[in-house]
Amino acid sequence: MDAKSHWLSTVLIAACLGGIGGWFSAYQQLQQPLARLNLVTPVFVLDRAKLIQSIPPNASQEQMTKIVDDWQSQAKKLSNAGYLVIDSTAVVAAHSDLYIQSQGR
C-alpha cells in the first residue's frame, strides 16, 4: 500500500467514526427532551364568550349556526390532531397564544 492510499483510508475511517460519534452524541442529548415532550399534552383554549360577542347583531339564524358549526369543527380538528381543547370558562390562567382567534367575518 502506498502512502497516498494509506492516508486516504485513514481519513475515511476518521470521518466515518466522527460522523457516528456526532450522531450518537446528538441522539443521547435529545433523549431526555423528547421523552418530556411525550408527557406533555398540548392544550388550546376556545373562548365561547368572545365567539358569541363576535356574531353581528343582525346575523340570521343560518349565519349563527354556521359560525357555531365552524367553531365546533375547529375544535374537532384540533382534538383529532391530539390536542386537548377546553372552553375559556374552565381556564384560571393561560397565555394569550393558547387562545384560538376567530377568523374575521
Side-chain angles (χ1 to χ4, degrees):
M1 224 161 128
D2 63 350
K4 189 175 182 180
S5 62
H6 184 25
W7 181 83
L8 185 62
S9 63
T10 302
V11 168
L12 217 64
I13 291 171
C16 288
L17 289 175
I20 291 170
W23 172 83
F24 186 72
S25 174
Y27 178 78
Q28 289 294 354
Q29 289 187 2
L30 286 175
Q31 282 301 316
Q32 187 178 9
L34 289 175
R36 272 190 272 136
L37 274 178
N38 287 334
L39 297 176
V40 176
T41 301
V43 177
F44 276 104
V45 180
L46 292 176
D47 195 343
R48 196 179 327 207
K50 278 191 180 178
L51 173 75
I52 293 169
Q53 290 172 355
S54 72
I55 297 175
N58 58 350
S60 67
Q61 186 65 35
E62 293 86 25
Q63 288 173 318
M64 288 190 280
T65 303
K66 181 176 179 351
I67 291 170
V68 171
D69 288 346
D70 289 348
W71 185 79
Q72 289 175 334
S73 171
Q74 197 173 21
K76 187 69 174 167
K77 284 179 189 176
L78 289 167
S79 175
N80 290 340
Y83 294 94
L84 172 63
V85 182
I86 60 175
D87 184 58
S88 62
T89 58
V91 176
V92 176
H95 192 272
S96 62
D97 288 348
L98 292 176
Y99 284 85
I100 297 175
Q101 306 298 321
S102 61
Q103 289 118 357
R105 298 197 192 286

